[in-house]
Amino acid sequence: MAQPNLASGNQIELQGLSAKADTLGKIMVRKFFKNKLAVIGAILLIIIITAALCAPLLTPYHYETQNLLKRLAPPSSEHLLGTDTFGRDIYTRLLFGARISLLVGFVSVLGAITIGTALGALAGYFGGIVDAMIMRFVDIVLSIPQIFLLITLVTIFNPGVDKLILIFALTGWMGTARLVRGEFLSLRSREFVLASKTIGTRSMTIIFREILPNAMGPIIVAATLSIGNVILAESALSYLGLGIMPPTPSWGNMLQGAQSITIMLNNWWVPTAPGLLILITVLCFNFVGDGLRDALDPKINE
């Protein structure tokens, strides 16, 4: 009697799983590309990020270079977007300011997502006193208006890129914690989790290797949407003089230098360039977040 070829059967099963994963990936990509605004947003973000990284190669000026003889000069071939009140090239400061604004956005959201995911996972998986303690702390922090909390913390610590990143990371994880907790509450009773518990798998392994990968979709979407919010918050703080301090450029402090009504009326290019770039960047992150939400949601058909 011929023995069944187990190796061949396992190989066929692995190929089937690989094909299924490949199919799911293609479905998500197709769903994302069906959202035209998300595609446009992704393309514009790639252009903005690439320009920020290549800033020294795209402009002959340094962001601190001043020419008081050409202060508030209108856009020209020499200064594509004109100059500010100190005669600094606005185009150059936009590129280098994009580095600061995007750095604050990406790194602080990475920190906030990491903290929120870890605490939300612990609360959702263990429940009980662990869940109660974490969620009550989240409720207390969320009861404080975020702008007042940010202003208070920034006032206590001297403004700077590193301190802003730390402050945004420590004050922006609560929403992610709630989101991850909800996902874990729904996933911890699934069959694959119960099977892992039955064979004696450690809790940390179940949390980070079994449940967390299945909750990554909402986390990725939340992170994408949060970056735009952090860029807005950083711009608001810098506009108020509590964020990135000149001469280091950021989109927020570029607007601060153009807040005079005289400049707004007579030298429109000074506030227009950073204001438009903030608007476009935040909209693009929101569009990409919406596209990712549709692509990662299995309930939405192609």
Side-chain angles (χ1 to χ4, degrees):
M1 184 174 180
Q3 295 294 325
N5 192 336
L6 296 179
S8 177
N10 290 335
Q11 185 177 6
I12 293 173
E13 184 179 355
L14 289 174
Q15 289 176 349
L17 291 173
S18 177
K20 183 178 180 182
D22 183 54
T23 302
L24 289 174
K26 289 181 179 179
I27 290 174
M28 285 188 282
V29 170
R30 285 199 298 267
K31 286 164 71 175
F32 180 83
F33 276 93
K34 283 185 66 176
N35 190 325
K36 302 304 181 185
L37 287 178
V39 174
I40 294 173
I43 293 172
L44 290 177
L45 283 178
I46 291 172
I47 293 173
I48 293 171
I49 294 171
T50 303
L53 293 175
C54 301
L57 304 176
L58 299 177
T59 175
Y61 304 103
H62 189 268
Y63 64 82
E64 292 185 13
T65 303
Q66 300 182 16
N67 186 351
L68 296 179
L69 297 177
K70 293 186 177 181
R71 59 187 301 271
L72 298 176
S76 64
S77 58
E78 186 177 1
H79 299 285
L80 296 179
L81 298 176
T83 62
D84 62 10
T85 53
F86 294 97
R88 298 173 297 196
D89 184 65
I90 292 177
Y91 170 68
T92 301
R93 290 181 65 79
L94 274 180
L95 293 180
F96 282 93
R99 286 182 162 191
I100 300 298
S101 296
L102 292 173
L103 175 67
V104 172
F106 279 109
V107 179
S108 60
V109 167
L110 177 62
I113 290 293
T114 302
I115 297 171
T117 298
L119 293 178
L122 294 175
Y125 182 79
F126 291 107
I129 187 65
V130 175
D131 182 26
M133 290 176 62
I134 294 176
M135 287 301 106
R136 293 303 73 76
F137 179 74
V138 168
D139 292 338
I140 291 171
V141 178
L142 288 177
S143 67
I144 306 172
Q146 188 181 28
I147 187 64
F148 295 129
L149 181 61
L150 290 174
I151 290 175
T152 302
L153 292 175
V154 170
T155 304
I156 294 173
F157 304 100
N158 293 327
V161 176
D162 54 346
K163 295 182 178 65
L164 270 183
I165 290 174
L166 182 62
I167 289 170
F168 281 128
L170 293 178
T171 59
W173 58 268
M174 287 75 69
T176 302
R178 279 186 164 181
L179 176 67
V180 174
R181 172 183 176 269
E183 291 292 320
F184 268 68
L185 287 175
S186 65
L187 290 171
R188 69 179 183 179
S189 58
R190 297 285 181 88
E191 290 79 3
F192 67 92
V193 177
L194 297 177
S196 297
K197 288 181 179 179
T198 302
I199 63 176
T201 306
R202 294 185 305 167
S203 295
M204 291 298 106
T205 302
I206 296 175
I207 289 173
F208 293 106
R209 290 190 180 180
E210 301 291 340
I211 303 179
L212 185 58
N214 291 280
M216 285 305 297
I219 295 173
I220 293 172
V221 174
T224 306
L225 296 173
S226 296
I227 294 174
N229 294 333
V230 170
I231 291 175
L232 277 178
E234 181 276 321
S235 299
L237 289 175
S238 297
Y239 180 79
L240 295 172
L242 299 172
I244 308 300
M245 302 302 292
T248 302
S250 78
W251 295 337
N253 65 27
M254 289 181 70
L255 284 176
Q256 182 197 27
Q259 61 183 326
S260 167
I261 189 66
T262 304
I263 293 178
M264 288 185 180
L265 294 177
N266 300 325
N267 309 101
W268 55 268
W269 57 89
V270 180
T272 299
L276 274 179
L277 203 50
I278 292 172
L279 173 65
I280 291 171
T281 304
V282 172
L283 280 177
C284 287
F285 275 114
N286 289 340
F287 290 153
V288 171
D290 289 339
L292 289 174
R293 180 174 55 200
D294 294 344
L296 296 171
D297 190 349
K299 297 178 183 178
I300 298 178
N301 297 323
E302 286 191 82

